[in-house]
Every structure is written in C-alpha cells, then in structure tokens.
Amino acid sequence: MDKLEIYKNIKTIADELCKENKTYLRADLAFELKKEQSRADKKAAKREKMMNMPSYRLMVGTAKYMDKWFLDPILGFILPAGIGDALSSVFAFPFIYYSLCVVKSIPLTLAVIYNILKDVLIGAIPFYIGDVLDVFKRSYVENLRLVTGYIEDDKEIINKVNKKAFWTAVFIVVLCWLIYVVISWAISLGTMVWDWIVSLF
C-alpha cells in the first residue's frame, strides 16, 4: 500500500471521527495513522511472504515457459492426439493449488480452472489449428495476473472475478462438455482419415 492510499484511508477515518461534530486531537489522528501504517506493513509483509513462496515462483516460471516461450503450443504440435494438450494442462496445477490453498478464494480458483479449460478446448481443435490458436491464448500469463491481483489486493481484479464466479462455474461445465465433444469428434475424424488412408493400399 503506497502513502497516498494510506492518507486516503486516514482521511476516511478522520471524516468518520468528525461525523458527530466532535473535536478530536491530533493525538487521535496520530493513533489512527499509526494503526493504519501497522495494518499496511502487515499486509505488505504478508504479500512479500506469499510472493516468495516456492509455489508462486513456480507459477511465474510456468507462465514464462508455457506462454512467453510458447512451450504450450509446441507440446501440442509435437505430441499427437491431444497428448501435448493434456500434458501442458498438468502444468496448471500449481495455479489451482495456490488460488485454493494459499489465497483461499473459490471465485479465483474457478477463474483459474476456466482459463485452463478454455486453453485445453482451443488446443484440442484438430489439424494443428488449435496449436496455432494456442499461440495467441496465454492462459498461464492470465492466471498469474489474476493470482497476483489477489495478492496485491487489486480491487478491480477481485471485484471482477467475484462478480463472475457463478457464471464462471456454469461455463466450466459447458467447457467440459465442449472438450468432450471436440475430442470425440477429433478421434472419430482421425479414425475415418486413417481408414481411408489404409483403404488406398
């Protein structure tokens, strides 16, 4: 929390103290300022501790390698039949663990799972189309941004994720069904193409 935010909080406290038209001494405001500073220091210490955890550093590394260095689409391109997409989704578990067990937020966990499933659905599109689209869908970076927003108490991110929690849960169910449909379609299509190739010989 920066000084400007602390002073804003102090002004709010001062306004509350003065609502009844009573006179308050500087000592009252100094006490409130000290209390607010102590709260800000505790929050900063907690944030620093959370960001120095091995699981957080693992998320930062995962986001870098999977999205910024394009390991996610490369795995999908190299490994056949959705194996690459399944393997890359395993790297998302630190994000789920951190949001559920460290941040302890169900809405954040739902948002993280939703981003992962969306990434799996895109990657499951056959004929390498999904792998090409996967280059532009950076779910690991997005999940890291959401988790970091919660750690840094970013009101905009927190409010946005909390407001969408119910619909995120609904969309997770829809995405699971779509993933099943796309994979089933890809398998049947692959079988048809293989049978056609075999029939040529």
Side-chain angles (χ1 to χ4, degrees), residues 42-201:
K42 281 180 187 173
K43 202 171 186 181
K46 183 182 175 185
R47 182 171 63 236
E48 188 176 343
K49 182 182 174 185
M50 289 174 81
M51 292 179 108
N52 283 325
M53 290 178 73
S55 50
Y56 183 82
R57 292 199 300 272
L58 181 61
M59 288 190 300
V60 171
T62 302
K64 181 172 80 172
Y65 290 112
M66 297 303 280
D67 282 345
K68 292 182 180 176
W69 290 13
F70 305 110
L71 186 59
D72 184 22
I74 289 169
L75 281 173
F77 187 80
I78 293 172
L79 299 172
I83 296 169
D85 300 308
L87 180 63
S88 66
S89 65
V90 170
F91 292 105
F93 281 111
F95 295 88
I96 297 171
Y97 163 77
Y98 197 90
S99 58
L100 187 62
C101 300
V102 179
V103 180
K104 296 178 181 171
S105 169
I106 298 294
L108 175 61
T109 306
L110 289 172
V112 165
I113 292 170
Y114 173 73
N115 282 333
I116 293 162
L117 291 175
K118 205 157 59 165
D119 189 56
V120 170
L121 177 63
I122 290 169
I125 299 171
F127 303 117
Y128 301 109
I129 296 167
D131 301 316
V132 172
L133 294 173
D134 222 0
V135 172
F136 304 101
K137 178 71 182 87
R138 301 191 169 193
S139 63
Y140 295 93
V141 168
E142 174 62 15
N143 281 338
L144 183 63
R145 187 184 73 83
L146 293 177
V147 169
T148 304
Y150 265 74
I151 294 170
E152 293 181 342
D153 202 25
D154 185 322
K155 302 295 183 197
E156 186 179 341
I157 288 175
I158 293 169
N159 289 337
K160 188 177 176 183
V161 169
N162 287 345
K163 281 179 185 174
K164 290 183 174 180
F166 172 76
W167 287 111
T168 303
V170 171
F171 289 139
I172 284 171
V173 174
V174 172
L175 279 173
C176 287
W177 177 76
L178 285 172
I179 289 167
Y180 169 77
V181 168
V182 168
I183 289 173
S184 299
W185 174 72
I187 289 170
S188 62
L189 188 63
T191 305
M192 284 172 53
V193 170
W194 177 254
D195 290 342
W196 176 74
I197 291 170
V198 169
S199 69
L200 293 175
F201 301 100

